[in-house]
Amino acid sequence: MSTPPRLAGARVGALDLYEYQGKELFRRYGIPVSDGRLASTPAEARRAAEELAGDVVVKAQVLTGGRGKAGGVRLAASPAEAEARAAEILGLEIRGHVVRSVWVEAASEIAKEYYLAVTFDRGAKKPLLLLTREGGVEIEEVAARDPRALARVYVEPLVGYLPYEGRALVHAAGIADVGERRQLLAIVEKLCRCFSAEEAMLCEINPLIVTPAGELKALDAKVTIDDSALFRHPDVAAMRDTSAGDPLEALAREKGVTYVHLGGSVGILANGAGLAMATVDLVVVAGGRPANFCDLGGGGRAEGVVAALDVIARDPQVRSIFLNVFGGLTRGDDVARGILAALERTAITVPLVARLDGTNAEEGRSILREARLDRLHVEPTMIAAAERAVGLAA
Ligand code: GDP
Ligand code: MN
């Protein structure tokens, strides 16, 4: 195929799979999942339910979590009900993602909800196994509320998964039941095989349920594959969705950032739509091409700056970022601290040019200068900053 490389999933450098695609992978590796069908119309959902027979669950297929809470996961006791639920779910917007298809699967009875994942710990440079008996909810909640409830065990990357690592994990999570332990060890092993063979960055099962009969099953699937490895996995590469629109714009919607992708190399972040538009113009005047329009809105809170920088930096075409803030009610020193906090919390590698003006601008500029970050350039005027950003992107 001669298709040019394009952005992956909601993240650059990674392909996020839909639940039904993740479950297809799980099934190939022998991880227990329910039988199901994909449907993009209510009539298809009805037919799926007829084929599956019995109670079904109708699940929105969007590249974001929290579907259950948003009304995107509904039980149906008959094909007619499945059709009705699908009609409600299709077209729904969940965290900025419009539902284009539903996964209809045989409903499961749930006695317990666990959480199991393999991910990378970039600090330790090792795959990390995570397991907790407090599944179902978002894992960040568990980690924040009771860190000890979340068992963490590393996989030795040069050796690959060994059963003792699984045993240590299951023990640390306090899984006492012998039957559950046996099934869990098998699933952990298969999930690790899937993780390394498919060159994944994340394989997450939340919830991993225990049925009243004591059987374990993956009720959800979140799989992220390393983009750089996709050429070795044409079957997975073909799972990429090209209909979901601009993935960065979807991610921005999810994070509540006002963002329009423009395709150039100078990322732009300004507060207020007017200033953001003027900044886009200025980059063009300075001979550059804006990568995006991004309005931070009022305030220079770290969270807003982090979210916006995160979106902008995921555009692989971005070579420099021009941050243009005029402090009216927003104070320059607050913005400066927001920028520094954002730089600490994001993995930005491209140079960032900051221009601060207005209230407490001088305080803000000196905070930035005193941080002495190589990739952070402070310029006093808009035009100087635009020229600097364009130069750095060349
Ligand atoms: P998420 O909200 O996007 O993480 O979607 P999940 O696939 O995890 O589903 C959310 C919740 O719906 C689960 O935690 C379950 O409690 C519930 N759920 C999903 N599938 C079934 C099912 O087959 N039977 C029952 N009873 N509940 C289900
Ligand atoms: Mn889930």
Side-chain angles (χ1 to χ4, degrees):
M1 292 265 292
S2 61
T3 3
R6 61 183 297 281
L7 302 181
R11 214 163 331 163
V12 171
L15 170 62
D16 290 319
L17 300 186
Y18 286 101
E19 174 197 6
Y20 79 94
Q21 296 171 324
K23 282 182 170 170
E24 165 60 24
L25 277 188
F26 287 177
R27 202 183 50 74
R28 288 186 206 164
Y29 286 86
I31 296 165
V33 290
S34 299
D35 195 11
R37 308 272 187 281
L38 191 68
S40 49
T41 65
E44 280 176 22
R46 182 193 191 103
R47 230 168 303 133
E50 280 165 3
E51 284 173 26
L52 293 166
D55 294 1
V56 295
V57 53
V58 182
K59 308 184 75 177
Q61 295 302 289
V62 280
L63 296 174
T64 182
R67 295 165 302 159
K69 273 185 208 153
V73 178
R74 309 278 298 278
L75 289 162
S78 68
E81 230 183 275
E83 182 173 5
R85 295 294 88 79
E88 287 160 12
I89 295 172
L90 288 163
L92 208 69
E93 193 178 305
I94 301 178
R95 295 189 185 175
H97 301 253
V98 177
V99 182
R100 307 249 176 249
S101 60
V102 291
W103 174 245
V104 183
E105 74 170 28
S108 305
E109 280 186 82
I110 304 176
K112 299 176 197 166
E113 294 189 315
Y114 295 165
Y115 170 103
L116 172 67
V118 193
T119 183
F120 271 121
D121 182 330
R122 288 176 186 278
K125 301 195 172 88
K126 290 174 182 178
L128 176 64
L129 292 166
L130 298 166
L131 174 65
T132 171
R133 288 185 291 165
E134 296 175 37
V137 295
E138 302 217 0
I139 194 60
E140 290 78 8
E141 279 177 38
V142 177
R145 181 163 28 86
D146 183 8
R148 282 167 313 163
L150 182 62
R152 306 156 52 97
V153 171
Y154 287 112
V155 174
E156 225 22 83
L158 297 180
V159 184
Y161 173 78
L162 290 175
Y164 83 88
E165 291 158 340
R167 286 197 294 271
L169 180 76
V170 168
H171 176 77
I175 311 283
D177 184 273
V178 178
E180 286 181 19
R181 261 200 328 238
R182 181 179 46 75
Q183 294 175 70
L184 251 170
L185 286 176
I187 292 172
V188 170
E189 198 250 318
K190 287 164 179 164
L191 199 65
C192 284
R193 196 136 38 82
C194 177
F195 182 82
S196 65
E198 300 295 338
E199 302 185 75
M201 299 162 80
L202 172 71
C203 287
E204 183 190 80
I205 308 176
N206 188 24
L208 172 67
I209 62 154
V210 184
T211 67
E215 275 164 15
L216 270 68
K217 196 195 295 182
L219 222 60
D220 193 3
K222 188 171 174 195
V223 175
T224 304
I225 306 283
D226 185 345
D227 233 15
S228 319
L230 275 179
F231 72 98
R232 283 192 286 264
H233 307 278
D235 55 331
V236 176
M239 291 178 174
R240 172 170 290 170
D241 184 6
T242 47
S243 71
D246 188 291
L248 284 176
E249 291 186 1
L251 177 71
R253 269 198 301 279
E254 185 177 324
K255 289 176 175 278
V257 174
T258 306
Y259 174 95
V260 181
H261 188 227
L262 298 174
S265 57
V266 181
I268 288 168
L269 208 180
N271 66 330
L275 186 60
M277 281 191 274
T279 310
V280 166
D281 285 350
L282 208 59
V283 165
V284 175
V285 167
R289 287 175 50 232
N292 64 274
F293 166 97
C294 183
D295 174 12
L296 201 55
R301 293 169 308 106
E303 295 72 41
V305 181
V306 169
L309 283 177
D310 196 27
V311 174
I312 293 171
R314 282 176 189 200
D315 179 346
Q317 286 171 296
V318 165
R319 308 275 293 276
S320 71
I321 296 173
F322 177 5
L323 196 144
N324 193 4
V325 176
F326 184 88
L329 292 174
T330 315
R331 293 169 19 168
D333 48 334
D334 285 343
V335 174
R337 278 186 283 270
I339 294 170
L340 293 179
L343 285 178
E344 230 166 69
R345 278 151 58 183
T346 54
I348 289 173
T349 50
V350 297
L352 195 137
V353 181
R355 174 262 178 177
L356 295 181
D357 211 338
T359 314
N360 287 8
E362 191 39 58
E363 288 87 335
R365 283 196 288 266
S366 48
I367 287 172
L368 291 181
R369 273 193 297 265
E370 277 157 23
R372 295 185 196 288
L373 293 174
D374 290 341
R375 60 187 192 288
L376 179 59
H377 307 264
V378 185
E379 291 289 346
T381 67
M382 273 176 56
I383 189 69
E387 280 165 357
R388 188 68 175 265
V390 170
L392 288 164

